[in-house]
Each structure stands twice: as structure tokens, then as C-alpha cells.
Amino acid sequence: MAVTIKDIAKYAGVSVTTVSRALNGYPDVSEETRERIKKIAEQLNYTPNSLARGLVTNKTHTVGLVVSELIKPGAYHPFFLEVLAGIKAGLKKDKYDLILFTVDPESQDATSYEKLCNDRKVEGAIVEGLRLSDPYIKEIKKTQIPTVLIDIPILTDKVGYVSSDNVQAAFEATSYLIKLGHRNIGFINGHDDAAVSFERLEGYKKALKKNNIPYKEEYVVFDDFTQEGGYNSFKMLVFEHPEITAVFHASDLMAIGSFKAAKDLGMKVPDDISIVGFDDIELASLITPGLTTIRQDTFKMGYNAAKHLLSIIKGEKPQHILIPHKLVIRDSARKI
Amino acid sequence: MAVTIKDIAKYAGVSVTTVSRALNGYPDVSEETRERIKKIAEQLNYTPNSLARGLVTNKTHTVGLVVSELIKPGAYHPFFLEVLAGIKAGLKKDKYDLILFTVDPESQDATSYEKLCNDRKVEGAIVEGLRLSDPYIKEIKKTQIPTVLIDIPILTDKVGYVSSDNVQAAFEATSYLIKLGHRNIGFINGHDDAAVSFERLEGYKKALKKNNIPYKEEYVVFDDFTQEGGYNSFKMLVFEHPEITAVFHASDLMAIGSFKAAKDLGMKVPDDISIVGFDDIELASLITPGLTTIRQDTFKMGYNAAKHLLSIIKGEKPQHILIPHKLVIRDSARKI
DNA sequence: AAAAGTATCCAAAACGTTTCGGATAGAATT
DNA sequence: AATTCTATCCGAAACGTTTTGGATACTTTT
């Protein structure tokens, strides 16, 4: 049987009230007895029962991380881990614990977002990897549970989000290709069920417009963020539009898929085709040629998401938090 | 205010006891009232308070995942995610939730393993990524908390472990190189603070012995499991022993480091040097030449770890669970 | 010397469940 | 008709905390 506050009280010859107040640093207990109680607690190896405490205080010091699509076998998210590390780091000082929920569209129908959170009494949640069409999206728009989303723009009374400036990032990537002399620039975008896809498309268009290059709808194709997505789209794109000399991608995985497709088609990167990715995953620097891409600071995304969630829990106002990005230039795009 | 069992009781005109027993499927409540109560609970959107329940039943339906070294920024573990996905899958049917602890040697000194688990009232834990010299290792050897380790051989009353058959796997990899005609085979092993390193070394030795090739201590070097580790060790190894024609690695990351080192040294893989890895991470099939390596079924490791933990919690006897591996042959090793 | 203030303590209620040990009433058995 | 069963219900205790609203005794102020 675990040792309780009662045991300590008996041992110290005081009431449980006093033990509680002593251990929690209340002022109305003498330093002498406080020390005595602390020592006894230490000796008995006392650890407070978080359930009992949570029951009365209505605080659990726990937040949830609800993820979808990120850890499916066969389709592991390339930077989920970095984000997770950031989240854990952001939670550390305040000693909040993290409980991990994985969801999919079916489970979202089975149990609502609120129920999921209430079941486990989390004080708030970070959510990541949802598609715009997921049931939780609607729910989160009107929830009262402190929430911060990653890469999904919803801003209400209780929910904020963090993301990169996708418009600007895509603008920079496309502008870079234009600066290298490219005029016929394809864009292999992510699926149209992700907010970032629209933002990146906007940035792509913006760069074209600024440089007086007409936007051609047929140069952009939507597909999964995966390698296969890139592979297939690339083949199609260059087959139908051989005049394309560069293609910008909404993810590094897609860009790598294009690498492979190019190879299969007998095209050399960057000699025959320039390629730019998005994310800067670890792989990007390992492959040859090195992939020119947009670096997202994913650790920081997680860190700020956690910090922001904590602040919302404390009652502060939700925000949109922008995480700095950076164009990192390697060898997959060349001047023409 | 959340709706409680009392509210339902009042609403239904019965006692809280009856509500509890109705909702929990006890037989001593008529089907009629049970239905009525269920309906009311549904209408009121009742979710049981897990804290209160846990307080009295002493069960939390929660297990911990304690990880070390796996999600440090700059050194993300290549298959932690797969294992995690497996764990979540293994926990699903029994509806256990997972709470994630990240530890390092300092935090292990600050709070003991038992305290960590007791604080959050987890019923058991899966632990992953510990080094043999970590403080928790000693503690886990004598803990009464149901525990299953990944890749760390400890077997007691309450703790079991899952791992690949590292001896056999290393034996197979080395034998394969020998079969290709190699005689001077280097081995870039992981650091000597991991159990798997010793097992893999044993398998390496075994293969040599079986083929009457004398074991040379200077052909094996211990280093971090990282890419840099491989890079540095490879350079050293081939510089000091240019007669080496093949090198086996304790991880794919190290093998990839060797790829890079070989390139820097003007050596071609597999023409000038044959390389074999361990793990079969995603990258292994993406690089050129494709990396010949040992595939570990990491998803299954996680899945079985979770299932086994649940069985230990239920009172069954801990075991050592072996996960099948497989030599996957690609293009990084050639016949000589 | 009386009044007010201060430091230190405590009893009891509350949080929302589960569970133990009956209680009640009608049905079945003798 | 008396007894035993059975089905259905319930009161109260228990889990381990925190918190409210005092109580006590000693100091200080008037």
C-alpha cells in the first residue's frame, strides 16, 4: 500500500490539513514542523496521489497530443518527431505531462474531440495532422477546450495555432527559381485537404505575378505529400509539359519522388530539371544532389505550440504564432 | 460544471449505486432501468470522471512510455516512430492510454523510475533507448512495476523485454559477406553502452569462427550509432587496414556515414568496398546504391511490447519476446 | 488588564466514483 | 401459510487529497 498524507500525519502527530499545507508551502505552518513533515515525507518515500489531487483541484497537469495520419505504418511523418521533441521541451518547465492520442476519421466519428479530452481530463491539447475534412475540425472551431493546432488556421476564444508563413515561404522558393532564369515552373502541391496547400499555392502565384509570368493552371498538380505522390505527379507533369525547366514541391518527400522519377526518365537533376522542396527533412542533405528546399523549424513549432497552449490554459488570448523559415540552397536547382 | 453520476441518479430517480452498476453492466439491475439510465446518460452527455474512478479502483488504464536519447534535437531516432505506432496499435483494443516520458541521465538521478511511474499512476511502462549505464537500469532490475524493455535484456518477476535476435542477425549479415568471398571484414559497432552491441559482436564473431576466419580485434570499432560515428570510424578503419573489403555496421545510419566517407575517400560502393547495415530504415532503399541490411520489424516490436506489457499487468509471467528479422539484399555489397 | 493581532494548527466537507452489506418485495417452494 | 429464493435496489463508507472556516494560545498594543 502506498504511503498517504494520513500516514505522515499520524507519524508527525499533526492533522492531515497541516501536512498538506506544509508540503504545499502554505505560510500558516511553522518552519519547524514544516521541516519535520518534509523529512518524514522523504523518509517514507511519499508521492502525492495525483488522482486524488486532481479530483479536488480539477487540474491534472496533463495535456493531450492528438495526431492523425502521422504515425500510420508505411507512411510515417518525416518530422513528427522533431515537433514532439519541441513539445516535450516546451512542457518541461511547467511539469506538464503529455498523453498521446492517435485518431483517424472513423475514431473521430466514434468519440468527439471533447469527449476524448474530457475522458482523460487533459487541460488542453495540441492537434496535428488533421485534414480539413476531418470531423474534429468543425468541432474544434467551437470548442472551449484550450487547443493549439499545428499548420491549421483556426483562431477562436480558446484555440490558436502555429505555422510557418507558407505564403511567404512558397513565394521565396518560387522567386528563387525565377531568379535563376526559370520561366516555366511547375508546382507539385500537396493534397487539397490541407490548409498549407492553399497557402503555398498563393505564394507560388504571387511570385509569378510579381515577375510578370502568367499563371498556368496546368502547371500545378495536387497530390499526396508522399514520395509516390511526387513520383507520379512529376512523370505526368513533364510528359505533358516538356517545356517545364523547374518544379517546386510542397514537401521534400515529393521532391525526392521527383528525383526518382527524373532518374527513371533519364533526366539529370539539376542539369535537365531544377527541383526545390519544402521542409528540409534530414534526407534532404543526404541525397545527391543535395536538395534545395525551405527549412521549417519544426522543433520550434512544437516548442511554441506547447508554450502557447500553456498560456491559453492560464487564460491568455490565443494567437497565430509564426515560425521563421529559411530557404536553404543546395545543388538541386541551377541557373539557366 | 460537468455532469456526474449524481445528476443522472437524480434525473432517473434512483441511487447513485444503481447508476454506477447500470452503466458498468452489473447484473443486479433490471433491463428496463438500465436502458433508462443509459439513455439519460447519453442525453446528458455524461463522461465518467476517470480520476474519481481511478482513485477508488486503483486502476488508471494508462501505461507510460519512457524514452531516452530518442527524440533529442539533432539526433532523432530513425525508427522510434514505427515502434510508437506499434505500441499504440497494441494498446488499442484494451483502450489503454499512453503517456510519454522523456528522460536523460540527470532526470533519472532527480526522480527515480518508481517515482516517475507512481506520480502519474501508470499501471506499467515500456522503456526504450536507455543506455546500460543509465541509473534506471539498476532500478528496473528490482522494480515491481510491470515493465517491458525494448532491446535491453532484463527478465524478472515483473519485467520482460522484446528484441530482435541480434546474435543471429549479425551472424547472417556477416555470413552473407563471407559467402560473397570477403575475408577481411570490418565491423563498425554501436557504442559499448548498449546491449545490442555485444550481441551483434557475438554474431559477427560466430560467423567468422564458423568459416575459420580468425577474429581480429582491430577490425572492430565501437562508436555512436549515428551517421557521424560511421563516417569517422570508416575513415579510420580503411586507413589503418586497407586490406578490408567489406564492413558490416550496427546501424543503417552508420552505414550511410560510411557511404559518405567512402565517397570522400574516392572509393565506390560496392566496387571498392562492400557495405552492410542494420535496421532497414526508410532511407536504406532511397540511397544509391540501395543498402543491403538487416530488417527489423520495428512496428511489431512496439506492438508486441504493448501486448506483453498488458499481459504482465494482468498477472502473467514476463518473457523475452523475439521479433523476426530478415536480411534484405540490395546493391551495397558485391561478390569478390 | 483588557483588547486586538498574529502564528499555528485542525475538523470536516468536498471532489466523483465503486463497492460492501444489507433491505425490500414479489415469486417460488415447501 | 410459512419459508426460502430471487431480482432489484439503496445507504454509507472508502479512495487521498485540498480547502473552508474556525479554534487556540501566545504577543503586542492600548
Side-chain angles (χ1 to χ4, degrees), chain A residues 60-62 88 97 100 120, chain B residues 61-62 88 97 100 120:
Chain A
T60 54
H61 265 251
T62 307
K88 285 297 294 183
D97 276 321
L100 182 73
R120 282 300 169 167
Chain B
H61 264 252
T62 308
K88 286 296 294 182
D97 275 321
L100 182 73
R120 280 300 168 168

Side-chain angles (χ1 to χ4, degrees), chain B residues 232-249:
Chain B
N232 297 328
S233 290
F234 183 86
K235 279 200 168 174
M236 215 176 63
L237 205 57
V238 301
F239 175 76
E240 291 184 1
H241 307 287
E243 72 277 15
I244 287 178
T245 59
V247 9
F248 170 48
H249 299 72

Side-chain angles (χ1 to χ4, degrees), chain B residues 34 42 52 62 67 76 118 133 136 178 197 203 218 236 242 247 294 328:
Chain B
R34 186 195 303 280
E42 176 86 10
T62 308
V67 303
Y76 297 102
N118 287 336
S133 61
Y136 278 9
I178 294 172
S197 296
E218 60 271 28
M236 215 176 63
V247 9
I294 297 283
V328 352

Side-chain angles (χ1 to χ4, degrees), chain A residues 58-80:
Chain A
N58 221 11
K59 300 236 155 239
T60 54
H61 265 251
T62 307
V63 298
L65 173 58
V66 357
V67 303
S68 178
E69 306 247 342
L70 300 186
I71 58 173
K72 289 194 295 195
Y76 297 102
H77 193 81
F79 55 75
F80 172 72

Side-chain angles (χ1 to χ4, degrees), chain B residues 35-75:
Chain B
E35 281 313 313
R36 193 158 48 91
I37 288 172
K38 273 190 176 174
K39 198 157 293 175
I40 293 174
E42 176 86 10
Q43 284 170 353
L44 266 40
N45 195 24
Y46 167 73
T47 56
N49 185 315
S50 57
L51 300 178
R53 173 178 291 173
L55 185 57
V56 28
T57 60
N58 222 10
K59 300 232 157 248
T60 53
H61 264 252
T62 308
V63 298
L65 172 58
V66 356
V67 303
S68 178
E69 306 245 343
L70 301 186
I71 57 173
K72 290 194 293 193

